[in-house]
Structures are given as structure tokens and as C-alpha cells.
Amino acid sequence: MSSTLAGAIAIAALFVAVLALVFAIQALRTQSGMSRSSKLPATPTPEAEPQPQQPEAKQGTVRSELKKLGKELEVTRGELRETLQHLAVVRYDAFGDTGGKLSWSMALLDDQGDGVVLTSINSRADARTYAKEIKAFASEAKLSPEEEEAIDTLRKEAGPTVEN
């Protein structure tokens, strides 16, 4: 096996391992009770006119099932806000002697701008991969211009609903 092919396989395996780590962290965050869903306000719903008090629907009726589904939908919406569902990738040449834009920075964020930015810097001899935690579209670690670009792309997509 040539060293180029072995290097490409190693990079692919590293990428898969890092993605698995991201998903494992997300799963642990959800299971550990550190979930922010209890801190987040419920999705605003239009104010409905007060309705006359109706007796509680009987178990198994359409009305009770609709009420139950409505509650489940609100819980699901809260959980969805915390998923790493926004993705931006910036490809570039990290060094002048290499081409093909093999280096990349990828931001994976939730609706609040929390998540991770992954970067792989490829040279002729090796590849280095970095992961940095992101909170509210910012990082305590110094970010490269390409990492900033990936995060800025997602910040712009978030629009006015996210406070910058």
C-alpha cells in the first residue's frame, strides 16, 4: 500500500473518530441532565382567546391524544434546539507547497451557537486535526481565520433570532 493511500485512509479514519466523539458528547450531554431545555423558554405560541372550561377529555379519545401529541411536540422542539444541526465547511490550502484545498475547518453548532469547530491541516508529510469548543458563536481558544469564517457563516444563517 502506498504511503499516500495509507495517509488518506488514516485521515478518513481520524475524521470518523472525531465525528463519533462529537456524537458521543452530544448523547452524554442529553443523558446527563445538563440539558438546557428546562432553562429555555417554551416556543412562543400565539395568545389564544380564553375558552370556557371544558371537562378533561377521556383517556383514548381523539381530544386527549391530540393534547398528548401537542405536549410531546413541545418537548421535541426543545430538544431539537440543542442538536448539532447547523454545519459549515471552509476548505483551503494551509501551505503554499500543497494544492487541492485538502485542509478544512468545519463548524457544527446548535440553535444557540454552541457546539464544536473541527479543523484538519494537511501538509505533504502529515495531517493534524484540532477540535475547539464553541459557546454562543465564540471560543475561549484562539480561532484561525478559516474557523472564524465557518462560525460566521452559521451566525449569519441564524439571523436576528440569535443575540450576538
PDB file of all heavy atoms in Angstrom, residues 117-150:
ATOM      1  N   VAL A 117     -15.924  23.261  16.624  1.00  0.00           N
ATOM      2  CA  VAL A 117     -15.317  23.508  15.314  1.00  0.00           C
ATOM      3  C   VAL A 117     -14.158  22.526  15.193  1.00  0.00           C
ATOM      4  O   VAL A 117     -13.345  22.381  16.111  1.00  0.00           O
ATOM      5  CB  VAL A 117     -14.890  24.984  15.118  1.00  0.00           C
ATOM      6  CG1 VAL A 117     -13.807  25.401  16.064  1.00  0.00           C
ATOM      7  CG2 VAL A 117     -14.456  25.229  13.690  1.00  0.00           C
ATOM      8  N   LEU A 118     -14.143  21.794  14.090  1.00  0.00           N
ATOM      9  CA  LEU A 118     -13.102  20.810  13.814  1.00  0.00           C
ATOM     10  C   LEU A 118     -12.251  21.330  12.670  1.00  0.00           C
ATOM     11  O   LEU A 118     -12.776  21.866  11.694  1.00  0.00           O
ATOM     12  CB  LEU A 118     -13.732  19.470  13.399  1.00  0.00           C
ATOM     13  CG  LEU A 118     -14.738  18.866  14.374  1.00  0.00           C
ATOM     14  CD1 LEU A 118     -15.422  17.668  13.753  1.00  0.00           C
ATOM     15  CD2 LEU A 118     -14.045  18.481  15.656  1.00  0.00           C
ATOM     16  N   THR A 119     -10.941  21.147  12.789  1.00  0.00           N
ATOM     17  CA  THR A 119     -10.028  21.611  11.752  1.00  0.00           C
ATOM     18  C   THR A 119      -9.013  20.525  11.458  1.00  0.00           C
ATOM     19  O   THR A 119      -8.475  19.906  12.378  1.00  0.00           O
ATOM     20  CB  THR A 119      -9.297  22.899  12.204  1.00  0.00           C
ATOM     21  OG1 THR A 119     -10.271  23.916  12.399  1.00  0.00           O
ATOM     22  CG2 THR A 119      -8.287  23.353  11.178  1.00  0.00           C
ATOM     23  N   SER A 120      -8.768  20.307  10.168  1.00  0.00           N
ATOM     24  CA  SER A 120      -7.722  19.383   9.738  1.00  0.00           C
ATOM     25  C   SER A 120      -6.771  20.159   8.831  1.00  0.00           C
ATOM     26  O   SER A 120      -7.189  20.705   7.812  1.00  0.00           O
ATOM     27  CB  SER A 120      -8.324  18.202   8.982  1.00  0.00           C
ATOM     28  OG  SER A 120      -7.300  17.351   8.509  1.00  0.00           O
ATOM     29  N   ILE A 121      -5.512  20.224   9.229  1.00  0.00           N
ATOM     30  CA  ILE A 121      -4.498  20.926   8.452  1.00  0.00           C
ATOM     31  C   ILE A 121      -3.594  19.867   7.826  1.00  0.00           C
ATOM     32  O   ILE A 121      -2.947  19.092   8.533  1.00  0.00           O
ATOM     33  CB  ILE A 121      -3.681  21.896   9.333  1.00  0.00           C
ATOM     34  CG1 ILE A 121      -4.628  22.939   9.936  1.00  0.00           C
ATOM     35  CG2 ILE A 121      -2.570  22.550   8.524  1.00  0.00           C
ATOM     36  CD1 ILE A 121      -3.971  23.893  10.884  1.00  0.00           C
ATOM     37  N   ASN A 122      -3.615  19.837   6.503  1.00  0.00           N
ATOM     38  CA  ASN A 122      -2.890  18.811   5.753  1.00  0.00           C
ATOM     39  C   ASN A 122      -1.662  19.406   5.083  1.00  0.00           C
ATOM     40  O   ASN A 122      -1.740  20.437   4.417  1.00  0.00           O
ATOM     41  CB  ASN A 122      -3.801  18.208   4.680  1.00  0.00           C
ATOM     42  CG  ASN A 122      -4.927  17.430   5.304  1.00  0.00           C
ATOM     43  OD1 ASN A 122      -4.734  16.321   5.752  1.00  0.00           O
ATOM     44  ND2 ASN A 122      -6.109  18.025   5.349  1.00  0.00           N
ATOM     45  N   SER A 123      -0.528  18.718   5.261  1.00  0.00           N
ATOM     46  CA  SER A 123       0.700  19.079   4.558  1.00  0.00           C
ATOM     47  C   SER A 123       1.121  17.862   3.742  1.00  0.00           C
ATOM     48  O   SER A 123       0.450  16.835   3.762  1.00  0.00           O
ATOM     49  CB  SER A 123       1.789  19.474   5.550  1.00  0.00           C
ATOM     50  OG  SER A 123       2.237  18.347   6.280  1.00  0.00           O
ATOM     51  N   ARG A 124       2.242  17.983   3.069  1.00  0.00           N
ATOM     52  CA  ARG A 124       2.718  16.840   2.283  1.00  0.00           C
ATOM     53  C   ARG A 124       3.114  15.670   3.186  1.00  0.00           C
ATOM     54  O   ARG A 124       2.978  14.513   2.819  1.00  0.00           O
ATOM     55  CB  ARG A 124       3.904  17.253   1.422  1.00  0.00           C
ATOM     56  CG  ARG A 124       3.519  18.184   0.303  1.00  0.00           C
ATOM     57  CD  ARG A 124       4.674  18.308  -0.693  1.00  0.00           C
ATOM     58  NE  ARG A 124       4.382  19.287  -1.715  1.00  0.00           N
ATOM     59  CZ  ARG A 124       3.683  19.028  -2.811  1.00  0.00           C
ATOM     60  NH1 ARG A 124       3.192  17.831  -2.991  1.00  0.00           N
ATOM     61  NH2 ARG A 124       3.479  19.963  -3.702  1.00  0.00           N
ATOM     62  N   ALA A 125       3.595  15.958   4.380  1.00  0.00           N
ATOM     63  CA  ALA A 125       4.125  14.912   5.251  1.00  0.00           C
ATOM     64  C   ALA A 125       3.117  14.380   6.259  1.00  0.00           C
ATOM     65  O   ALA A 125       3.203  13.226   6.669  1.00  0.00           O
ATOM     66  CB  ALA A 125       5.348  15.440   5.996  1.00  0.00           C
ATOM     67  N   ASP A 126       2.162  15.205   6.693  1.00  0.00           N
ATOM     68  CA  ASP A 126       1.248  14.744   7.731  1.00  0.00           C
ATOM     69  C   ASP A 126      -0.032  15.573   7.723  1.00  0.00           C
ATOM     70  O   ASP A 126      -0.175  16.511   6.941  1.00  0.00           O
ATOM     71  CB  ASP A 126       1.905  14.794   9.108  1.00  0.00           C
ATOM     72  CG  ASP A 126       2.256  16.211   9.559  1.00  0.00           C
ATOM     73  OD1 ASP A 126       2.134  17.158   8.758  1.00  0.00           O
ATOM     74  OD2 ASP A 126       2.640  16.386  10.718  1.00  0.00           O
ATOM     75  N   ALA A 127      -0.915  15.193   8.615  1.00  0.00           N
ATOM     76  CA  ALA A 127      -2.163  15.949   8.816  1.00  0.00           C
ATOM     77  C   ALA A 127      -2.386  16.074  10.313  1.00  0.00           C
ATOM     78  O   ALA A 127      -2.155  15.133  11.074  1.00  0.00           O
ATOM     79  CB  ALA A 127      -3.334  15.229   8.169  1.00  0.00           C
ATOM     80  N   ARG A 128      -2.825  17.248  10.727  1.00  0.00           N
ATOM     81  CA  ARG A 128      -3.119  17.491  12.144  1.00  0.00           C
ATOM     82  C   ARG A 128      -4.573  17.903  12.252  1.00  0.00           C
ATOM     83  O   ARG A 128      -5.061  18.684  11.431  1.00  0.00           O
ATOM     84  CB  ARG A 128      -2.207  18.568  12.699  1.00  0.00           C
ATOM     85  CG  ARG A 128      -0.756  18.141  12.709  1.00  0.00           C
ATOM     86  CD  ARG A 128       0.140  19.233  13.200  1.00  0.00           C
ATOM     87  NE  ARG A 128       1.521  18.829  13.044  1.00  0.00           N
ATOM     88  CZ  ARG A 128       2.345  18.652  14.061  1.00  0.00           C
ATOM     89  NH1 ARG A 128       1.939  18.846  15.289  1.00  0.00           N
ATOM     90  NH2 ARG A 128       3.584  18.285  13.851  1.00  0.00           N
ATOM     91  N   THR A 129      -5.231  17.387  13.279  1.00  0.00           N
ATOM     92  CA  THR A 129      -6.645  17.676  13.468  1.00  0.00           C
ATOM     93  C   THR A 129      -6.850  18.294  14.836  1.00  0.00           C
ATOM     94  O   THR A 129      -6.262  17.851  15.822  1.00  0.00           O
ATOM     95  CB  THR A 129      -7.485  16.387  13.338  1.00  0.00           C
ATOM     96  OG1 THR A 129      -7.210  15.811  12.062  1.00  0.00           O
ATOM     97  CG2 THR A 129      -8.957  16.683  13.441  1.00  0.00           C
ATOM     98  N   TYR A 130      -7.706  19.325  14.880  1.00  0.00           N
ATOM     99  CA  TYR A 130      -7.972  20.047  16.115  1.00  0.00           C
ATOM    100  C   TYR A 130      -9.481  20.148  16.316  1.00  0.00           C
ATOM    101  O   TYR A 130     -10.241  20.258  15.357  1.00  0.00           O
ATOM    102  CB  TYR A 130      -7.389  21.468  16.055  1.00  0.00           C
ATOM    103  CG  TYR A 130      -5.912  21.499  15.756  1.00  0.00           C
ATOM    104  CD1 TYR A 130      -5.453  21.605  14.453  1.00  0.00           C
ATOM    105  CD2 TYR A 130      -4.984  21.412  16.777  1.00  0.00           C
ATOM    106  CE1 TYR A 130      -4.092  21.629  14.170  1.00  0.00           C
ATOM    107  CE2 TYR A 130      -3.629  21.444  16.505  1.00  0.00           C
ATOM    108  CZ  TYR A 130      -3.187  21.544  15.204  1.00  0.00           C
ATOM    109  OH  TYR A 130      -1.849  21.564  14.936  1.00  0.00           O
ATOM    110  N   ALA A 131      -9.907  20.164  17.571  1.00  0.00           N
ATOM    111  CA  ALA A 131     -11.312  20.387  17.926  1.00  0.00           C
ATOM    112  C   ALA A 131     -11.343  21.477  18.995  1.00  0.00           C
ATOM    113  O   ALA A 131     -10.566  21.445  19.953  1.00  0.00           O
ATOM    114  CB  ALA A 131     -11.940  19.103  18.461  1.00  0.00           C
ATOM    115  N   LYS A 132     -12.241  22.452  18.807  1.00  0.00           N
ATOM    116  CA  LYS A 132     -12.367  23.550  19.772  1.00  0.00           C
ATOM    117  C   LYS A 132     -13.834  23.731  20.117  1.00  0.00           C
ATOM    118  O   LYS A 132     -14.694  23.727  19.235  1.00  0.00           O
ATOM    119  CB  LYS A 132     -11.800  24.843  19.178  1.00  0.00           C
ATOM    120  CG  LYS A 132     -10.318  24.748  18.859  1.00  0.00           C
ATOM    121  CD  LYS A 132      -9.805  25.969  18.154  1.00  0.00           C
ATOM    122  CE  LYS A 132      -8.343  25.773  17.733  1.00  0.00           C
ATOM    123  NZ  LYS A 132      -7.876  26.872  16.903  1.00  0.00           N
ATOM    124  N   GLU A 133     -14.099  23.897  21.410  1.00  0.00           N
ATOM    125  CA  GLU A 133     -15.474  24.080  21.878  1.00  0.00           C
ATOM    126  C   GLU A 133     -15.950  25.496  21.551  1.00  0.00           C
ATOM    127  O   GLU A 133     -15.207  26.462  21.680  1.00  0.00           O
ATOM    128  CB  GLU A 133     -15.547  23.857  23.389  1.00  0.00           C
ATOM    129  CG  GLU A 133     -16.954  23.946  23.933  1.00  0.00           C
ATOM    130  CD  GLU A 133     -17.027  23.674  25.424  1.00  0.00           C
ATOM    131  OE1 GLU A 133     -15.980  23.700  26.089  1.00  0.00           O
ATOM    132  OE2 GLU A 133     -18.135  23.449  25.908  1.00  0.00           O
ATOM    133  N   ILE A 134     -17.214  25.581  21.152  1.00  0.00           N
ATOM    134  CA  ILE A 134     -17.820  26.866  20.812  1.00  0.00           C
ATOM    135  C   ILE A 134     -19.028  27.082  21.718  1.00  0.00           C
ATOM    136  O   ILE A 134     -19.857  26.194  21.886  1.00  0.00           O
ATOM    137  CB  ILE A 134     -18.277  26.893  19.325  1.00  0.00           C
ATOM    138  CG1 ILE A 134     -17.124  26.537  18.388  1.00  0.00           C
ATOM    139  CG2 ILE A 134     -18.898  28.239  18.970  1.00  0.00           C
ATOM    140  CD1 ILE A 134     -15.951  27.478  18.447  1.00  0.00           C
ATOM    141  N   LYS A 135     -19.113  28.258  22.317  1.00  0.00           N
ATOM    142  CA  LYS A 135     -20.256  28.671  23.148  1.00  0.00           C
ATOM    143  C   LYS A 135     -20.732  30.018  22.632  1.00  0.00           C
ATOM    144  O   LYS A 135     -19.955  30.970  22.581  1.00  0.00           O
ATOM    145  CB  LYS A 135     -19.865  28.812  24.626  1.00  0.00           C
ATOM    146  CG  LYS A 135     -19.498  27.519  25.298  1.00  0.00           C
ATOM    147  CD  LYS A 135     -20.730  26.824  25.760  1.00  0.00           C
ATOM    148  CE  LYS A 135     -20.328  25.622  26.602  1.00  0.00           C
ATOM    149  NZ  LYS A 135     -21.435  24.772  26.879  1.00  0.00           N
ATOM    150  N   ALA A 136     -21.997  30.093  22.246  1.00  0.00           N
ATOM    151  CA  ALA A 136     -22.599  31.341  21.756  1.00  0.00           C
ATOM    152  C   ALA A 136     -21.761  31.954  20.628  1.00  0.00           C
ATOM    153  O   ALA A 136     -21.443  33.137  20.635  1.00  0.00           O
ATOM    154  CB  ALA A 136     -22.800  32.336  22.890  1.00  0.00           C
ATOM    155  N   PHE A 137     -21.380  31.131  19.657  1.00  0.00           N
ATOM    156  CA  PHE A 137     -20.625  31.535  18.475  1.00  0.00           C
ATOM    157  C   PHE A 137     -19.232  32.070  18.805  1.00  0.00           C
ATOM    158  O   PHE A 137     -18.637  32.790  18.005  1.00  0.00           O
ATOM    159  CB  PHE A 137     -21.388  32.582  17.656  1.00  0.00           C
ATOM    160  CG  PHE A 137     -22.685  32.077  17.098  1.00  0.00           C
ATOM    161  CD1 PHE A 137     -23.880  32.407  17.707  1.00  0.00           C
ATOM    162  CD2 PHE A 137     -22.714  31.269  15.976  1.00  0.00           C
ATOM    163  CE1 PHE A 137     -25.087  31.951  17.206  1.00  0.00           C
ATOM    164  CE2 PHE A 137     -23.912  30.803  15.468  1.00  0.00           C
ATOM    165  CZ  PHE A 137     -25.106  31.146  16.081  1.00  0.00           C
ATOM    166  N   ALA A 138     -18.676  31.748  19.983  1.00  0.00           N
ATOM    167  CA  ALA A 138     -17.339  32.207  20.363  1.00  0.00           C
ATOM    168  C   ALA A 138     -16.585  31.059  21.027  1.00  0.00           C
ATOM    169  O   ALA A 138     -17.179  30.090  21.482  1.00  0.00           O
ATOM    170  CB  ALA A 138     -17.443  33.391  21.319  1.00  0.00           C
ATOM    171  N   SER A 139     -15.264  31.192  21.089  1.00  0.00           N
ATOM    172  CA  SER A 139     -14.432  30.157  21.691  1.00  0.00           C
ATOM    173  C   SER A 139     -13.418  30.792  22.628  1.00  0.00           C
ATOM    174  O   SER A 139     -12.928  31.901  22.369  1.00  0.00           O
ATOM    175  CB  SER A 139     -13.695  29.378  20.604  1.00  0.00           C
ATOM    176  OG  SER A 139     -12.819  28.432  21.177  1.00  0.00           O
ATOM    177  N   GLU A 140     -13.102  30.094  23.711  1.00  0.00           N
ATOM    178  CA  GLU A 140     -12.037  30.548  24.596  1.00  0.00           C
ATOM    179  C   GLU A 140     -10.680  30.346  23.940  1.00  0.00           C
ATOM    180  O   GLU A 140      -9.736  31.073  24.221  1.00  0.00           O
ATOM    181  CB  GLU A 140     -12.098  29.800  25.922  1.00  0.00           C
ATOM    182  CG  GLU A 140     -13.306  30.163  26.756  1.00  0.00           C
ATOM    183  CD  GLU A 140     -13.348  29.422  28.089  1.00  0.00           C
ATOM    184  OE1 GLU A 140     -12.370  28.717  28.421  1.00  0.00           O
ATOM    185  OE2 GLU A 140     -14.352  29.561  28.781  1.00  0.00           O
ATOM    186  N   ALA A 141     -10.589  29.348  23.048  1.00  0.00           N
ATOM    187  CA  ALA A 141      -9.342  29.088  22.326  1.00  0.00           C
ATOM    188  C   ALA A 141      -9.241  30.042  21.142  1.00  0.00           C
ATOM    189  O   ALA A 141     -10.247  30.490  20.595  1.00  0.00           O
ATOM    190  CB  ALA A 141      -9.329  27.639  21.824  1.00  0.00           C
ATOM    191  N   LYS A 142      -8.020  30.371  20.762  1.00  0.00           N
ATOM    192  CA  LYS A 142      -7.808  31.244  19.601  1.00  0.00           C
ATOM    193  C   LYS A 142      -8.250  30.494  18.351  1.00  0.00           C
ATOM    194  O   LYS A 142      -7.891  29.337  18.143  1.00  0.00           O
ATOM    195  CB  LYS A 142      -6.344  31.634  19.508  1.00  0.00           C
ATOM    196  CG  LYS A 142      -6.053  32.566  18.353  1.00  0.00           C
ATOM    197  CD  LYS A 142      -4.713  33.231  18.520  1.00  0.00           C
ATOM    198  CE  LYS A 142      -4.304  34.072  17.344  1.00  0.00           C
ATOM    199  NZ  LYS A 142      -5.281  34.961  16.813  1.00  0.00           N
ATOM    200  N   LEU A 143      -9.051  31.162  17.521  1.00  0.00           N
ATOM    201  CA  LEU A 143      -9.557  30.555  16.298  1.00  0.00           C
ATOM    202  C   LEU A 143      -8.778  31.069  15.092  1.00  0.00           C
ATOM    203  O   LEU A 143      -8.396  32.238  15.040  1.00  0.00           O
ATOM    204  CB  LEU A 143     -11.041  30.884  16.115  1.00  0.00           C
ATOM    205  CG  LEU A 143     -11.990  30.361  17.195  1.00  0.00           C
ATOM    206  CD1 LEU A 143     -13.400  30.876  16.956  1.00  0.00           C
ATOM    207  CD2 LEU A 143     -11.975  28.848  17.237  1.00  0.00           C
ATOM    208  N   SER A 144      -8.585  30.200  14.112  1.00  0.00           N
ATOM    209  CA  SER A 144      -7.944  30.600  12.865  1.00  0.00           C
ATOM    210  C   SER A 144      -8.953  31.385  12.027  1.00  0.00           C
ATOM    211  O   SER A 144     -10.161  31.327  12.279  1.00  0.00           O
ATOM    212  CB  SER A 144      -7.479  29.360  12.095  1.00  0.00           C
ATOM    213  OG  SER A 144      -8.602  28.667  11.581  1.00  0.00           O
ATOM    214  N   PRO A 145      -8.491  32.115  11.017  1.00  0.00           N
ATOM    215  CA  PRO A 145      -9.428  32.842  10.153  1.00  0.00           C
ATOM    216  C   PRO A 145     -10.445  31.924   9.485  1.00  0.00           C
ATOM    217  O   PRO A 145     -11.615  32.285   9.318  1.00  0.00           O
ATOM    218  CB  PRO A 145      -8.517  33.507   9.107  1.00  0.00           C
ATOM    219  CG  PRO A 145      -7.179  33.604   9.759  1.00  0.00           C
ATOM    220  CD  PRO A 145      -7.095  32.426  10.681  1.00  0.00           C
ATOM    221  N   GLU A 146     -10.026  30.718   9.122  1.00  0.00           N
ATOM    222  CA  GLU A 146     -10.942  29.766   8.479  1.00  0.00           C
ATOM    223  C   GLU A 146     -11.993  29.265   9.466  1.00  0.00           C
ATOM    224  O   GLU A 146     -13.162  29.093   9.110  1.00  0.00           O
ATOM    225  CB  GLU A 146     -10.154  28.585   7.896  1.00  0.00           C
ATOM    226  CG  GLU A 146      -9.234  28.973   6.752  1.00  0.00           C
ATOM    227  CD  GLU A 146      -7.892  29.563   7.195  1.00  0.00           C
ATOM    228  OE1 GLU A 146      -7.557  29.490   8.400  1.00  0.00           O
ATOM    229  OE2 GLU A 146      -7.173  30.103   6.343  1.00  0.00           O
ATOM    230  N   GLU A 147     -11.588  29.030  10.722  1.00  0.00           N
ATOM    231  CA  GLU A 147     -12.558  28.623  11.745  1.00  0.00           C
ATOM    232  C   GLU A 147     -13.558  29.749  12.001  1.00  0.00           C
ATOM    233  O   GLU A 147     -14.769  29.505  12.112  1.00  0.00           O
ATOM    234  CB  GLU A 147     -11.826  28.244  13.033  1.00  0.00           C
ATOM    235  CG  GLU A 147     -11.002  26.977  12.897  1.00  0.00           C
ATOM    236  CD  GLU A 147     -10.036  26.752  14.055  1.00  0.00           C
ATOM    237  OE1 GLU A 147      -9.606  27.732  14.701  1.00  0.00           O
ATOM    238  OE2 GLU A 147      -9.714  25.580  14.303  1.00  0.00           O
ATOM    239  N   GLU A 148     -13.056  30.978  12.071  1.00  0.00           N
ATOM    240  CA  GLU A 148     -13.932  32.141  12.243  1.00  0.00           C
ATOM    241  C   GLU A 148     -14.926  32.246  11.083  1.00  0.00           C
ATOM    242  O   GLU A 148     -16.103  32.543  11.278  1.00  0.00           O
ATOM    243  CB  GLU A 148     -13.115  33.437  12.332  1.00  0.00           C
ATOM    244  CG  GLU A 148     -12.381  33.618  13.622  1.00  0.00           C
ATOM    245  CD  GLU A 148     -13.260  34.080  14.770  1.00  0.00           C
ATOM    246  OE1 GLU A 148     -14.459  34.363  14.559  1.00  0.00           O
ATOM    247  OE2 GLU A 148     -12.745  34.158  15.893  1.00  0.00           O
ATOM    248  N   GLU A 149     -14.442  31.994   9.870  1.00  0.00           N
ATOM    249  CA  GLU A 149     -15.304  32.078   8.689  1.00  0.00           C
ATOM    250  C   GLU A 149     -16.441  31.050   8.760  1.00  0.00           C
ATOM    251  O   GLU A 149     -17.595  31.363   8.456  1.00  0.00           O
ATOM    252  CB  GLU A 149     -14.478  31.865   7.417  1.00  0.00           C
ATOM    253  CG  GLU A 149     -15.285  31.961   6.138  1.00  0.00           C
ATOM    254  CD  GLU A 149     -14.443  31.713   4.889  1.00  0.00           C
ATOM    255  OE1 GLU A 149     -13.189  31.774   4.967  1.00  0.00           O
ATOM    256  OE2 GLU A 149     -15.048  31.456   3.841  1.00  0.00           O
ATOM    257  N   ALA A 150     -16.119  29.833   9.166  1.00  0.00           N
ATOM    258  CA  ALA A 150     -17.149  28.793   9.285  1.00  0.00           C
ATOM    259  C   ALA A 150     -18.193  29.184  10.330  1.00  0.00           C
ATOM    260  O   ALA A 150     -19.400  29.041  10.113  1.00  0.00           O
ATOM    261  CB  ALA A 150     -16.511  27.449   9.634  1.00  0.00           C
TER     262      ALA A 150
END
